[in-house]
């Protein structure tokens, strides 16, 4: 989580969602692949309600995830959201993830 927070305010145009998660995990010596699809096949697949801080969280189906972030716990996550935005901390209240990968 500390590694992920070092990217706060990085523009999406420099780092999309899966590049952000890849870079954050690389900072702690973990290779997770470049794409959302590759990252969704790692670790143990769990429902979002079972996510723990540090887990990858995904939106979309298992076979076609379209967004990834890192769960911070307490209903918060960090991600690179979309064009024109920066890496930031958001609430899952308005954008509930579909599933998680326990890392």
């Amino acid at each position: 989580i500390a590694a992920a927070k070092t990217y706060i305010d990085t523009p999406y145009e420099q780092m999309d969602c899966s590049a952000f998660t890849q870079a954050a995990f690389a900072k702690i010596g973990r290779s997770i692949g470049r794409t959302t699809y590759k990252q969704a096949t790692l670790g143990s697949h769990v429902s979002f309600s079972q996510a723990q801080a540090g887990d990858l969280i995904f939106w979309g189906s298992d076979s076609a995830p379209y967004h990834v972030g890192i769960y911070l716990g307490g209903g918060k996550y960090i991600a690179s959201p979309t064009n024109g935005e920066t890496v930031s901390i958001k609430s899952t209240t308005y954008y509930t993830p579909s599933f998680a990968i326990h890392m």
Side-chain angles (χ1 to χ4, degrees):
I1 291 172
K5 287 182 176 179
T6 66
Y7 293 103
I8 287 178
D9 294 329
T10 301
Y12 178 87
E13 290 74 16
Q14 291 178 14
M15 184 176 287
D16 70 7
C17 65
S18 57
F20 159 68
T21 52
Q22 178 189 37
F25 276 88
K27 271 197 171 192
I28 60 167
R30 185 110 186 248
S31 177
I32 64 169
R34 169 60 184 90
T35 67
T36 303
Y37 303 101
K38 174 67 176 164
Q39 293 172 13
T41 66
L42 303 170
S44 302
H45 185 281
V46 297
S47 67
F48 172 64
S49 65
Q50 296 176 304
Q52 298 175 14
D55 286 352
L56 292 172
I57 54 174
F58 295 85
W59 289 260
S61 69
D62 293 356
S63 60
Y66 59 84
H67 187 56
V68 61
I70 299 171
Y71 192 52
L72 302 177
K76 302 281 185 190
Y77 69 96
I78 185 169
S80 184
T82 190
N83 278 328
E85 294 190 36
T86 62
V87 172
S88 57
I89 294 173
K90 305 270 188 186
S91 170
T92 60
T93 302
Y94 301 105
Y95 192 37
T96 304
S98 305
F99 64 97
I101 295 294
H102 181 62
M103 300 301 288

